[in-house]
Amino acid sequence: MGSMEEKFDEQLLILYASQTGNAMDAAERLGREAERRGCPSVSVLSIDEFQPIDLPNKEAVIFIVSTTGQGDNPDSMKGFWRFLLQKNLTREWLKGVHYAVFGLGDSSYQKYNFVAKKLDKRLSDLGATAIIERGLGDDQHPSGHEGALDPWMSALWNMLYQKNHKLLPNGPDFVTPDATFLDQPKIQIIYHDVEEGIPPLSSAKELKYLETQVERARSMTPGKFSGNDRPDCFLKMTKNRLLSRPDSGKDVRHFEFDAVSSSIDYEVGGVLEVLPGQSPAALDAFIRRCSLNPESYITVQPRDAENHDFLNPPLSPVKLKSFIELTMDVASASPRRYFFEVMSYFATAEHEKERLQYFASPEGRDDLYQYNQKERRTVLEVLEDFPSVQMPFEWLVQLVPPLKTRAYSISSSHSAHPNQVHLTVSVVSWTTPYKRKRTGLCSAWLASLDPQQRVFIPAWFRKGSLPPPRPSLPLILIGPGTGCAPFHGFVEERALQSKTVSTAPIIFFFGCRSNNDDFLYRDFWLSHSQKNGVLSEDKGGGFYVAFSRDQPQKVYVQHKMREQSMKIWSLLTQGAAVYVAGSANKMPSDVFSVFEEIVSTESGVSREAALRWIRTLEKAGKYHVEAWS
Amino acid sequence: MGTEMEQERLLVVTDQVAVSVSAVFDAVKVVREGVEQIDPLIITQASLDSLLSVESSSIDDVVSLCKSLEFPSDQLLANLSRVLKPGGRILLYLTSQSEVQMANSSLERKLLLAGFLDIQSSGNKSVGVTGKKPSWKIGSSFSIKKTSQVLPKVQVDDDADLIDEDSLLTEEDLKKPQLPPSDCEVGSTRKACKNCTCGRAEAEEKVEKLGITMDQLNNPQSACGNCGLGDAFRCSTCPYKGLPPFKLGEKVTLSGNFLAADI
């Protein structure tokens, strides 16, 4: 122990790889708990803010990593992971480094917590020493990942204390009494007297005004919206068409947008991120509840702006109401446990204070989960359930979940529709455990828009997991439900290309509930599968539909695929690429299984050999999956 | 039967007690051209035991003179198939008067079910159906398709300098994880998944109603005192779960929380 203390700083580094914010939340909580136990130096960073080359110099590193549905790393971890996988790193490279891994995953997926498991093994293979066994958080647990996090954290403090007393100078169990201790908010608000901008008179000015507001507001909180402050463009909706049958129980829309602010460019298979609007009624209710003045102008800065590497020039103020509207999710996302903890400090009614403290405690964790996370309680609802709480605006800005963009697969080909972008969106709706009807924020908002109104939508273009194919590449596409969206773009594009160059065939497997209810884009697919179209059998292609509910037994895309076993194999031997897209969590693995079957049957090799061959296809960039839930 | 004749071996079976040589020749003419040279083995009142001494795959042609449509039985037919060489022929010849079409199709079906190929009826006047034993031996193996047993080569832009990350997982890791016991509401049986696609969630929604009486809504009471405070304070079994906060005795407003129906 002695040599280690001389070599390293008494520093605890916490690195998180978060996709939806859960891992970040857990990491921040870990950091707070460490500080409360007197750890002299705690650093909480997103893993992409850390240079892996520095890893051997660290004394104690804690990794909090999420696994996405397909077993992949979060985007922020890809660079770090690539570095770690290098063959030339030796088994001694991380000698002397102490680490612990906590994973956030979902045991209903086959590849449960794969990211944490692989990271744990790799770190140990590289010579690092595990402080404790890896912890695996599970969304399926009654209290979500916190169920595993709490006991894992206690074990961590104990072992950390044993390894190095200086990390926790007051011992592992010492905690500053909760009742008196409240951290300071991390940000400060500055109110301005200056009024900015007279109400704009023309739509061009209106657009410009909106542009500046969006950019300013979203740049003010560094780190929260990295990559998503300045929109790539603004869109105006031109079509809002119902694709599914009314009263079918589904509401699937076809949206068309014109780009109004600047020229756009995207490829088929790409993704559009949209910033949703929030209900004016909800925003007003929030502002009233929090006793705020919507007309005041503010800037938001880190509290210790002088100490930060925050070199940007101070931003011009934004209207408080705009700031909330553009950056704070008040009527959709649920607040986190820490929100309840901070609320308890600002509750003046005794029974509310008690209840909030209970919710924030380990004993109340499960009840909090039932009331809040499972029920998808919104910030506004929580504040209204605890009416005596008056939280300062600084805390609200810090703790209200950030308004997130929503991503959708683009269903148009830019070549076929210049300056336009089309989406295929299913309006999300569900009933909560408490029997309340809820709808998805963005999908419902888009569905409510009237193309006659002038609403400008901030949007970003991203590459998805489906790289655009060359015209000469034969394609096997599987896209049930809204999974057909990117393939709508593929077919539009290839149909256009086929006019000037020779194109390879496409076979497309679509699935839906019923011919009458939700056969999305039926006429489009049928027209391209006739008369030498790109989906036609004459051209070596095909279009096959599985209607799951039109007969007593369920028929899914995988059943249709089996029927076309020879055709699929024939295309695979010609070097076809496979694209799978859709929204069910089991579908991609069911489809993968059918491929194993087909390859094995048609070529005569064993199932294991078929599996390995398909894995090679993945590595060669010939098997792509875009799955969402 | 121990003959070393080069000419093809012919077996004739019949269900009759006795059969004339001319009757045999008439039938044999259907399958053979020169009948003078033949020396058929003739078995009368043929039954399963009759063929015990005949070697498998030793007979070139079988002629069955049938008085009734039931002859030969399926089992005897199978035995006849056994003694036939692969590629050998069989003729089912009806000696009694019978409706030609019907009889032929009945015999055709017999042969078909017994696994013979190339089944043909021999004309309209006489009733006779021929078939051929498949020319592969039972039990031989051969590939149905032309398979190379080699999978097409896939070009991988290899990151040759990275290890294979799948090698970091153990057998244990790869096993499908055990789901923890369902965390659904107390006392409930199997419920629909969060992202249900099979329709169960919708069906459940239809079945379950609010679970609360009009009386409870008009004149709410609370023994514990917490029901009126809102969801944050209610027990998991509270009948007012999901409803807005209320004051005791005052009617509960169902549409109080506009957000529930909002975007």
Side-chain angles (χ1 to χ4, degrees):
Chain A
M1 289 291 145
S3 61
M4 187 177 73
E5 284 168 21
E6 286 154 11
K7 193 173 174 191
F8 305 114
D9 302 322
E10 278 75 20
Q11 193 206 48
L12 185 65
L13 175 61
I14 302 171
L15 295 176
Y16 62 87
S18 189
Q19 191 75 20
T20 54
N22 285 316
M24 177 174 82
D25 190 54
E28 288 181 348
R29 177 159 164 234
L30 200 72
R32 275 195 303 274
E33 301 277 338
E35 278 175 351
R36 285 180 191 174
R37 283 167 173 73
C39 182
S41 166
V42 181
S43 190
V44 179
L45 295 175
S46 172
I47 203 163
D48 56 357
E49 295 175 315
F50 178 76
Q51 302 303 322
I53 197 101
D54 288 337
L55 212 43
N57 304 328
K58 297 299 170 192
E59 167 176 3
V61 189
I62 317 291
F63 294 89
I64 316 274
V65 295
S66 283
T67 301
T68 69
Q70 303 307 312
D72 294 325
N73 311 350
D75 295 328
S76 56
M77 189 170 157
K78 292 199 184 320
F80 181 89
W81 187 235
R82 250 192 90 94
F83 188 97
L84 231 55
L85 286 179
Q86 288 176 97
K87 279 185 183 160
N88 59 14
L89 299 175
T90 68
R91 305 187 78 80
E92 308 274 294
W93 182 58
L94 292 180
K95 188 161 179 201
V97 176
H98 291 73
Y99 79 94
V101 171
F102 186 82
L104 283 83
D106 187 326
S107 63
S108 68
Y109 288 87
Q110 173 69 39
K111 298 189 180 178
Y112 171 58
N113 259 316
F114 267 22
V115 173
K117 290 175 177 174
K118 289 180 187 174
L119 177 64
D120 185 32
K121 182 73 167 59
R122 185 61 178 153
L123 290 170
S124 129
D125 283 348
L126 291 170
T129 314
I131 301 167
I132 53 169
E133 204 179 298
R134 70 188 179 213
L136 298 178
D138 185 358
D139 271 353
Q140 296 294 327
H141 189 280
S143 33
H145 63 261
E146 304 232 358
L149 184 59
D150 288 341
W152 181 84
M153 266 197 337
S154 315
L156 179 67
W157 304 135
N158 276 315
M159 285 310 292
L160 212 49
Y161 180 66
Q162 284 180 35
K163 302 260 178 193
N164 183 355
H165 295 208
K166 290 198 184 163
L167 275 177
L168 300 174
N170 298 321
D173 302 317
F174 175 83
V175 175
T176 330
D178 275 0
T180 55
F181 184 89
L182 173 63
D183 321 289
Q184 296 256 30
K186 294 208 171 86
I187 51 106
Q188 57 176 333
I189 315 272
I190 300 169
Y191 291 84
H192 302 255
D193 293 325
V194 178
E195 251 193 45
E196 181 100 357
I198 299 126
L201 301 168
S202 72
S203 76
K205 279 223 184 100
E206 192 182 327
L207 188 55
K208 194 80 190 105
Y209 180 70
L210 177 62
E211 241 179 308
T212 43
Q213 292 285 290
V214 173
E215 191 181 344
R216 278 183 204 167
R218 289 174 78 83
S219 314
M220 276 186 193
T221 35
K224 270 202 178 173
F225 303 111
S226 45
N228 276 9
D229 34 16
R230 185 139 185 264
D232 289 341
C233 70
F234 284 83
L235 302 173
K236 188 190 159 324
M237 186 183 279
T238 55
K239 274 213 181 87
N240 178 348
R241 181 161 70 95
L242 186 64
L243 289 173
S244 53
R245 185 177 64 82
D247 298 328
S248 63
K250 279 200 141 193
D251 184 340
V252 186
R253 304 281 175 118
H254 174 79
F255 297 125
E256 295 190 9
F257 304 91
D258 277 349
V260 294
S261 62
S262 49
S263 64
I264 56 173
D265 196 18
Y266 60 89
E267 302 253 40
V268 289
V271 165
L272 185 73
E273 285 187 28
V274 166
L275 185 70
Q278 301 195 68
S279 139
L283 289 167
D284 286 339
F286 178 79
I287 288 168
R288 261 182 286 119
R289 168 69 183 80
C290 301
S291 313
L292 299 168
N293 175 9
E295 304 301 315
S296 48
Y297 281 80
I298 57 167
T299 46
V300 176
Q301 284 174 22
R303 192 163 44 83
D304 50 352
E306 318 81 49
N307 297 345
H308 265 244
D309 298 336
F310 196 49
L311 301 172
N312 294 347
L315 291 161
S316 309
V318 276
K319 213 161 161 190
L320 184 135
K321 179 169 180 185
S322 301
F323 183 81
I324 296 175
E325 184 173 359
L326 298 169
T327 69
M328 294 166 67
D329 188 337
V330 305
S332 169
S334 294
R336 303 189 191 275
R337 180 184 176 161
Y338 190 44
F339 189 81
F340 289 84
E341 191 178 321
V342 173
M343 272 180 82
S344 70
Y345 290 102
F346 295 107
T348 51
E350 198 54 40
H351 71 283
E352 289 183 20
K353 195 183 193 72
E354 266 177 34
R355 190 66 173 167
L356 289 164
Q357 285 172 340
Y358 170 68
F359 273 156
S361 71
E363 298 79 46
R365 182 190 67 210
D366 287 1
D367 281 343
L368 175 64
Y369 200 72
Q370 294 293 325
Y371 163 72
N372 183 48
Q373 283 99 310
K374 283 204 72 183
E375 186 62 15
R376 311 274 275 267
R377 215 52 84 162
T378 70
V379 166
L380 185 52
E381 285 170 348
V382 172
L383 287 173
E384 293 191 337
D385 274 352
F386 293 95
S388 82
V389 171
Q390 287 301 330
M391 211 192 274
F393 191 47
E394 285 82 358
W395 278 113
L396 289 168
V397 171
Q398 182 181 329
L399 295 181
V400 169
L403 184 65
K404 292 207 162 100
T405 58
R406 265 63 167 179
Y408 299 100
S409 275
I410 296 174
S411 44
S412 52
S413 153
H414 195 216
S415 325
H417 304 280
N419 207 48
Q420 287 180 30
V421 61
H422 302 171
L423 297 181
T424 312
V425 176
S426 178
V427 177
V428 179
S429 67
W430 72 94
T431 308
T432 67
Y434 286 30
K435 314 281 187 292
R436 302 182 306 154
K437 285 235 178 293
R438 301 291 300 273
T439 53
L441 176 65
C442 193
S443 57
W445 174 71
L446 286 172
S448 73
L449 292 180
D450 177 0
Q452 305 294 339
Q453 298 166 338
R454 242 192 3 222
V455 176
F456 299 118
I457 302 167
W460 291 258
F461 289 95
R462 298 265 179 271
K463 284 198 187 327
S465 331
L466 306 174
R470 300 179 321 272
S472 56
L473 182 63
L475 297 174
I476 303 169
L477 310 177
I478 299 111
T482 48
C484 70
F487 304 141
H488 188 272
F490 277 27
V491 168
E492 276 189 343
E493 180 122 308
R494 191 158 279 196
L496 198 60
Q497 288 164 342
S498 67
K499 294 193 175 139
T500 50
V501 299
S502 76
T503 54
I506 302 180
I507 53 174
F508 173 44
F509 294 90
F510 176 67
C512 63
R513 287 186 190 172
S514 146
N515 195 344
N516 289 329
D517 283 353
D518 56 348
F519 191 168
L520 310 174
Y521 300 119
R522 166 178 46 211
D523 296 334
F524 175 80
W525 306 120
L526 291 178
S527 72
H528 286 282
S529 44
Q530 289 155 1
K531 289 188 268 189
N532 277 310
V534 292
L535 289 176
S536 67
E537 306 224 320
D538 299 331
K539 296 270 286 202
F543 171 60
Y544 310 99
V545 192
F547 299 112
S548 63
R549 297 190 195 178
D550 275 349
Q551 61 284 313
Q553 75 278 18
K554 294 258 184 263
V555 176
Y556 295 127
V557 281
Q558 49 267 32
H559 303 121
K560 288 294 175 190
M561 285 171 68
R562 271 200 203 105
E563 289 172 16
Q564 303 300 325
S565 182
M566 287 199 326
K567 198 160 194 175
I568 290 177
W569 176 239
S570 162
L571 280 187
L572 282 174
T573 53
Q574 291 171 46
V578 176
Y579 288 76
V580 183
S583 73
N585 61 0
K586 297 281 185 286
M587 189 269 297
S589 50
D590 286 342
V591 165
F592 193 96
S593 274
V594 174
F595 271 112
E596 275 179 63
E597 228 182 87
I598 290 174
V599 170
S600 169
T601 311
E602 298 294 332
S603 72
V605 303
S606 71
R607 193 83 189 223
E608 289 74 33
L611 172 61
R612 279 197 299 275
W613 188 75
I614 302 175
R615 287 253 169 84
T616 323
L617 281 186
E618 285 179 319
K619 291 201 176 91
K622 288 251 171 125
Y623 192 107
H624 309 280
V625 179
E626 179 112 64
W628 54 84
S629 59
Chain B
M1 279 289 291
T3 62
E4 294 95 2
M5 284 197 268
E6 287 102 2
Q7 63 188 188
E8 295 181 341
R9 296 186 60 199
L10 177 65
L11 171 68
V12 177
V13 295
T14 176
D15 49 350
Q16 295 163 247
V17 172
V19 63
S20 67
V21 171
S22 60
V24 172
F25 281 174
D26 281 340
V28 171
K29 266 183 212 157
V30 179
V31 288
R32 289 287 183 87
E33 274 160 19
V35 295
E36 292 73 24
Q37 309 307 342
I38 58 162
D39 182 18
L41 175 67
I42 303 177
I43 302 177
T44 59
Q45 281 182 304
S47 67
L48 286 175
D49 294 340
S50 315
L51 297 178
L52 283 177
S53 55
V54 183
E55 278 175 30
S56 301
S57 306
S58 60
I59 306 289
D60 293 287
D61 292 297
V62 167
V63 171
S64 167
L65 296 169
C66 329
K67 197 163 166 198
S68 96
L69 279 173
E70 306 311 313
F71 180 86
S73 68
D74 291 334
Q75 283 163 311
L76 181 56
L77 198 50
N79 243 311
L80 290 171
S81 180
R82 173 182 72 79
V83 305
L84 263 178
K85 287 182 188 168
R89 279 170 304 176
I90 184 168
L91 164 68
L92 299 184
Y93 192 84
L94 203 60
T95 55
S96 61
Q97 292 304 319
S98 189
E99 216 282 312
V100 173
Q101 297 274 41
M102 248 181 58
N104 266 351
S105 57
S106 167
L107 294 177
E108 272 175 28
R109 195 160 46 245
K110 241 177 158 53
L111 285 182
L112 187 65
L113 290 175
F116 289 94
L117 307 179
D118 280 353
I119 296 165
Q120 285 164 18
S121 295
S122 55
N124 288 334
K125 295 218 177 101
S126 61
V127 183
V129 177
T130 53
K132 211 163 147 187
K133 177 172 169 175
S135 56
W136 57 81
K137 285 198 162 79
I138 306 296
S140 68
S141 68
F142 61 98
S143 46
I144 299 173
K145 299 191 229 281
K146 186 166 71 89
T147 59
S148 57
Q149 295 268 340
V150 171
L151 292 163
K153 188 118 176 57
V154 181
Q155 190 65 30
V156 180
D157 280 334
D158 209 7
D159 281 322
D161 47 340
L162 298 182
I163 64 161
D164 175 21
E165 61 181 281
D166 289 332
S167 66
L168 297 168
L169 296 166
T170 66
E171 276 302 310
E172 189 60 38
D173 292 331
L174 291 168
K175 270 197 251 163
K176 182 100 175 100
Q178 285 279 355
L179 270 99
S182 168
D183 62 344
C184 308
E185 292 161 51
V186 173
S188 65
T189 50
R190 178 86 199 283
K191 286 207 154 208
C193 311
K194 188 168 67 168
N195 42 7
C196 169
T197 51
C198 78
R200 198 195 183 97
E202 287 162 7
E204 281 176 3
E205 238 179 274
K206 288 203 177 92
V207 167
E208 287 163 0
K209 302 288 180 197
L210 207 45
I212 193 171
T213 66
M214 280 313 297
D215 194 47
Q216 277 178 306
L217 286 174
N218 285 330
N219 183 18
Q221 298 298 324
S222 167
C224 65
N226 287 337
C227 309
L229 296 173
D231 277 346
F233 299 89
R234 291 177 181 140
C235 320
S236 56
T237 48
C238 183
Y240 298 99
K241 217 162 72 162
L243 296 175
F246 56 81
K247 297 202 175 68
L248 289 177
E250 277 180 25
K251 189 166 169 180
V252 183
T253 44
L254 284 174
S255 56
N257 187 355
F258 61 79
L259 289 167
D262 208 303
I263 53 154

